[in-house]
């Protein structure tokens, strides 16, 4: 083959955009099954923890190897959480004619968080540093995981066979 001259940034980008989505994709089926078998909290709590720890590790990245490992860890956390919000929303929604209204409001709250998160990240990185912004995101994730652990009831209904 030919000899390629690839910078660390391009190499890291190739690894991240090539590896991370595949790790997330591999995580779609298993968490969906595990949510049904073990419950919502059994998947949600590890998802918060793994993604938050991955975020907290970003400032410690010093090489392509550590960058790839942190990216994969974050992909695992993100993959675990795939569909968790909508599953939980569906479980908590009132049955009947108000289901659509509830799910619309549920989606709006989630979309608001997706809109505000990057703005806050940008503001903190502008006022301080990107490292501080990422650590703040990790702290918010850990606090969210603690809140989820403490205040969210398990919504999986187990049917007992006679």
């Amino acid at each position: 083959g030919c000899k390629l001259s690839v910078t660390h940034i391009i190499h890291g980008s190739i690894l991240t955009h090539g590896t991370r989505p595949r790790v997330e994709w591999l995580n779609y089926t298993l968490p969906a099954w595990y949510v049904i078998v073990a419950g919502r909290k059994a998947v949600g709590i590890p998802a918060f923890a793994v993604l938050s720890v991955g975020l907290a590790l970003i400032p410690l990245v010093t090489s392509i190897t550590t960058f790839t490992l942190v990216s994969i860890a974050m992909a695992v956390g993100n993959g675990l959480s795939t569909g968790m919000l909508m599953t939980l929303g569906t479980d908590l929604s009132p049955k009947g004619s108000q289901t659509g209204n509830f799910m619309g409001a549920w989606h709006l709250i989630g979309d608001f968080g997706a809109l505000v998160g990057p703005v806050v990240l940008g503001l903190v990185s502008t006022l301080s540093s990107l490292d501080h912004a990422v650590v703040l995101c990790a702290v918010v994730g850990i606090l969210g995981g603690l809140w989820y652990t403490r205040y969210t009831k398990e919504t999986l209904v187990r049917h007992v066979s006679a």
Side-chain angles (χ1 to χ4, degrees):
C2 63
K3 189 173 185 179
L4 296 175
S5 174
V6 181
T7 67
H8 282 63
I9 294 172
I10 294 172
H11 188 107
S13 180
I14 290 168
L15 285 173
T16 300
H17 295 294
T19 305
R20 198 199 77 224
R22 283 163 183 74
V23 172
E24 288 176 4
W25 180 81
L26 288 172
N27 281 321
Y28 291 161
T29 307
L30 183 60
W33 170 79
Y34 199 56
V35 161
I36 294 167
V37 173
R40 283 48 168 162
K41 290 179 95 170
V43 174
I45 294 167
F48 271 109
V50 172
L51 191 53
S52 296
V53 168
L55 282 166
L57 291 174
I58 288 175
L60 304 177
V61 168
T62 58
S63 68
I64 294 299
T65 304
T66 57
F67 178 77
T68 303
L69 292 173
V70 168
S71 294
I72 290 172
M74 290 174 56
V76 168
N78 192 43
L80 284 174
S81 68
T82 301
M84 274 304 304
L85 275 180
M86 294 312 290
T87 302
L88 194 59
T90 303
D91 289 347
L92 297 173
S93 69
K95 306 307 174 225
S97 63
Q98 293 300 311
T99 302
N101 293 337
F102 179 89
M103 290 306 293
W106 185 266
H107 234 316
L108 180 65
I109 292 167
D111 290 346
F112 179 75
L115 173 73
V116 171
V119 172
V120 171
L121 183 74
L123 286 172
V124 173
S125 65
T126 299
L127 297 172
S128 182
S129 72
L130 187 55
D131 286 350
H132 290 140
V134 171
V135 170
L136 175 66
C137 287
V139 169
V140 169
I142 290 167
L143 292 175
L146 292 172
W147 180 86
Y148 182 78
T149 302
R150 172 71 177 96
Y151 295 108
T152 303
K153 295 191 182 340
E154 176 58 61
T155 58
L156 175 65
V157 177
R158 298 182 194 277
H159 299 285
V160 179
S161 301

